[in-house]
Amino acid sequence: MSAGSRPAAALPSDPPGGRRAVAVWSIGVAVYFVAVIFRTSLGVAGLDAADRFHVGASALSTFSILQLLVYAGMQIPVGLLVDRLGTRKVLTIGVVLFTAGQLGFAFSPSYGTALASRALLGCGDAMTFISVLRLGSRWFPARRGPLVAQLAGLAGMAGNLVSTLVLARLLHGVGWTAAFAGSALAGVVVLVLLLLFLEDHPEGCEPEPFPHRGSAYVRRQIAASWREPGTRLGLWVHFTTQFPAMVFLLLWGMPFLVEAQGLSRATAGELLTLVVLSNMMVGLVYGQIVARHHEARLPLALGTVGATAVVWAVTLAWPGAHAPMWLLIVLCAVLGACGPASMLGFDFARPANPPERQGTASGITNMGGFVASMTTLFAVGVLLDATGDDFTVAFCAVFVLQALGVTQILRLRSRAARRERERLVASRVETVHVPV
């Protein structure tokens, strides 16, 4: 084979994939799966938490806000740690922290200790997803990146499904302490699997050594990642697409469906399950589309934002006391597309950064949706208290953040596309000159 005909996929830096890759990556995904169960457990326990700790809407939202504040604030430090220490070490720390947080939440005697436990959980949770993304990029070929990322997100939604179906039943069957303490055992199981079987990269695909020199290295990594328009575009895509479903599933969906729409808890739980099932199905579709048609990333993201805004507007503006069931079903089905759409943000950041910056760039991108979710959770809680639990007014906060995000996406899209084309041309030139 001549040098000019050597395909990019055959380069030594491109991992081979295969069964071994699937097995190792699955362990990382299992860690993320458990982290999402713990993260979303409050979504099915919000009303119980309000009764247990005797708090109102604003104080209740503080649980999720603090958890997301810690999560978002940890993203860049975690990205730097992943680039420096590797996936295995960072995931190990994460599992220990989020398991301790879930266990602490089970036995918390007061609102203050429960808050501290959720903060600890958020800190551990923050270390999982970026690590799993990096693990996928180390074990699978680059062309599989979009599909692998969507599958990781799919596993997270499966965790959400478990918390919606299983943990909710446990909570009302065996009580608060037994349900949360029992679920913490899952963290112990994945910790054992992680320590025994997970490896950072396949043999022969070790990353090039990269100098790490204190604060200068940190500043260099963050600045270089941020200078890339693709990183910033990825952040704003994640910001704009993820938060409507996150806010709904993490805290306010159950109260909205039960208190504002007059549904039973069982029916509301089924609708929350629909969001998760829709997410899983849409994730598979989006992953396949983007893997085959890279240019579809932005239309899919903006289309999801538009559909979400329209359905929310119709639901909130519906005349009468309650929206019809068919409309609530449509709302939950559309909200299911938000998670897969947010994953598209990483498909902008990934090609914009070299391997040694993937963790940092993913951390910056991942901040977007969680900052938006945290802001909206707080806004909805404050507006509910200020308006006497008027969910119509409170959920209008969604439109404000969507407008901000779309403005930034449209501002950055041309620069990011131009820079990505330049990098693609440069990589093809380098490939042509690879020695045989």
Side-chain angles (χ1 to χ4, degrees):
M1 180 182 291
S2 66
S5 61
R6 185 172 184 173
L11 289 174
S13 60
D14 210 23
R19 292 182 180 178
R20 174 68 173 159
V22 172
V24 173
W25 177 76
S26 295
I27 295 171
V29 169
V31 173
Y32 178 55
F33 170 79
V34 174
V36 173
I37 294 176
F38 292 0
R39 178 200 304 170
T40 58
S41 57
L42 186 61
V44 297
L47 298 176
D48 299 86
D51 292 336
R52 181 180 177 87
F53 300 113
H54 309 292
V55 295
S58 295
L60 182 60
S61 67
T62 303
F63 277 123
S64 296
I65 290 168
L66 177 62
Q67 183 179 332
L68 293 183
L69 177 63
V70 172
Y71 188 106
M74 287 287 293
Q75 289 310 291
I76 292 178
V78 168
L80 292 164
L81 282 174
V82 169
D83 285 336
R84 182 166 187 173
L85 300 179
T87 301
R88 189 172 185 270
K89 292 180 180 178
V90 175
L91 276 181
T92 300
I93 297 170
V95 173
V96 171
L97 291 177
F98 70 60
T99 302
Q102 186 77 341
L103 196 60
F105 196 57
F107 293 99
S108 293
S110 65
Y111 178 68
T113 55
L115 275 178
S117 297
R118 295 307 285 187
L120 188 63
L121 192 157
C123 187
D125 182 20
M127 298 184 176
T128 58
F129 188 63
I130 293 175
S131 298
V132 172
L133 286 180
R134 185 182 187 271
L135 194 66
S137 68
R138 292 297 189 193
W139 280 90
F140 293 96
R143 66 181 182 277
R144 299 294 186 192
L147 182 58
V148 169
Q150 288 289 355
L151 289 174
L154 189 68
M157 280 298 102
N160 202 326
L161 189 63
V162 168
S163 68
T164 302
L165 296 178
V166 180
L167 190 59
R169 291 177 183 272
L170 284 174
L171 188 64
H172 298 294
V174 301
W176 179 283
T177 300
F180 281 100
S183 66
L185 293 175
V188 178
V189 173
V190 294
L191 178 61
V192 173
L193 292 174
L194 166 64
L195 293 175
L196 291 178
F197 302 112
L198 191 135
E199 299 176 23
D200 280 344
H201 46 70
E203 188 176 350
C205 292
E206 294 83 359
E208 291 292 328
F210 193 75
H212 305 292
R213 296 195 177 98
S215 60
Y217 159 75
V218 172
R219 289 195 301 269
R220 211 166 38 240
Q221 285 285 90
I222 295 174
S225 296
W226 184 255
R227 278 196 299 268
E228 292 291 344
T231 304
R232 283 175 279 146
L233 179 59
L235 179 148
W236 284 108
V237 167
H238 199 268
F239 177 100
T240 314
T241 53
Q242 187 203 47
F243 79 92
M246 178 69 74
V247 168
F248 199 77
L249 288 172
L250 200 59
L251 184 60
W252 292 123
M254 181 69 78
F256 170 74
L257 294 172
V258 172
E259 297 177 2
Q261 299 302 319
L263 303 180
S264 67
R265 285 198 180 198
T267 304
E270 291 172 357
L271 286 175
L272 293 179
T273 303
L274 175 60
V275 178
V276 177
L277 292 175
S278 172
N279 186 301
M280 297 170 75
M281 290 185 289
V282 174
L284 289 174
V285 174
Y286 278 18
Q288 292 286 355
I289 291 174
V290 175
R292 297 175 184 178
H293 307 285
H294 214 48
E295 67 280 0
R297 293 169 298 172
L298 200 58
L300 286 174
L302 291 175
T304 301
V305 174
T308 304
V310 169
V311 178
W312 256 125
V314 173
T315 302
L316 296 177
W318 191 267
H322 307 304
M325 178 58 71
W326 67 264
L327 182 55
L328 295 177
I329 291 173
V330 172
L331 172 67
C332 291
V334 171
L335 285 175
C338 292
S342 72
M343 299 299 298
L344 299 173
F346 299 101
D347 292 324
F348 289 102
R350 189 184 304 110
N353 292 273
E356 65 270 16
R357 287 208 310 264
Q358 288 295 317
T360 305
S362 295
I364 293 172
T365 299
N366 208 30
M367 282 182 62
F370 289 94
V371 169
S373 297
M374 178 179 60
T375 304
T376 309
L377 283 167
F378 176 74
V380 170
V382 170
L383 289 171
L384 285 173
D385 281 345
T387 60
D389 293 338
D390 189 334
F391 280 90
T392 299
V393 174
F395 272 115
C396 284
V398 170
F399 306 121
V400 177
L401 271 75
Q402 284 184 322
L404 171 62
V406 169
T407 300
Q408 295 299 318
I409 290 171
L410 296 178
R411 184 177 68 86
L412 288 165
R413 60 177 178 172
S414 297
R415 274 180 280 175
R418 182 170 60 252
R419 177 67 173 146
E420 191 170 301
R421 285 193 299 269
E422 292 171 355
R423 293 181 70 94
L424 182 60
V425 169
S427 67
R428 285 175 177 171
V429 170
E430 289 176 5
T431 301
V432 168
H433 292 92
V434 168
V436 180

